[in-house]
Amino acid sequence: MQPFRSYSGLLVGFIVFGIVIWLAHRVHGELNDPGFAQTVLIAVSGWAGGWLIGFLVAPNTSNELKNLSQATSTITAFVAGFIMAKIEPSFTPIFEDGQLMNEPIYGIRVLIFIICFVVAAINMYVFREFNERY
């Protein structure tokens, strides 16, 4: 019964991803914004990041736990050093002159990223936890 739950959880995750992409398409049509491909890319990157985090927090074996802890340390160091230094200049144009408030697509893209990230992380965690035990 438990493997069925993990597979059904994955199915629900893919359904949620499809709904998010459909809603993004509708929003882009209503806002007359041609950046739908960028929004899909943001959604996919959120999905991939969520799967990675879900994979890292749910190791199946002790050997995998050891390897993943090393990978997690490396990824954390990379994110803390290089990415954080590069992110701030990228966000400056978004926040200047009230552009974030004047263009709702930025907020929509952030929400799409967060939704995809969280759903994918939960899916991967549940899938690995339930398939490990049963």
Side-chain angles (χ1 to χ4, degrees):
M1 187 62 154
Q2 296 301 332
F4 175 73
R5 284 185 182 174
S6 63
Y7 290 120
S8 63
L10 283 176
L11 178 64
V12 168
F14 282 107
I15 290 170
V16 168
F17 183 71
I19 290 170
V20 166
I21 295 299
W22 177 76
L23 287 172
H25 185 268
R26 301 262 321 198
V27 166
H28 278 281
E30 291 176 11
L31 294 176
N32 294 324
D33 183 31
F36 177 66
Q38 291 174 338
T39 301
V40 170
L41 183 62
I42 289 168
V44 170
S45 66
W47 193 261
W51 274 59
L52 175 65
I53 296 301
F55 180 81
L56 292 175
V57 299
N60 282 337
T61 65
S62 61
N63 189 30
E64 194 173 86
L65 177 64
K66 185 181 96 174
N67 292 339
L68 288 179
S69 67
Q70 292 172 349
T72 303
S73 299
T74 304
I75 290 171
T76 303
F78 178 73
V79 168
F82 181 75
I83 298 293
M84 295 307 280
K86 299 296 182 185
I87 284 179
E88 193 274 324
S90 300
F91 283 126
T92 302
I94 294 173
F95 290 107
E96 66 187 22
D97 299 329
Q99 189 173 1
L100 182 63
M101 295 301 209
N102 294 334
E103 295 189 35
I105 196 66
Y106 292 127
I108 292 167
R109 286 178 175 162
V110 168
L111 286 175
I112 286 172
F113 179 84
I114 291 170
I115 290 168
C116 290
F117 184 88
V118 169
V119 169
I122 291 170
N123 274 344
M124 180 56 83
Y125 178 80
V126 168
F127 181 76
R128 288 179 58 89
E129 281 295 311
F130 280 126
N131 282 332
E132 173 189 337
R133 295 182 187 160
Y134 299 99

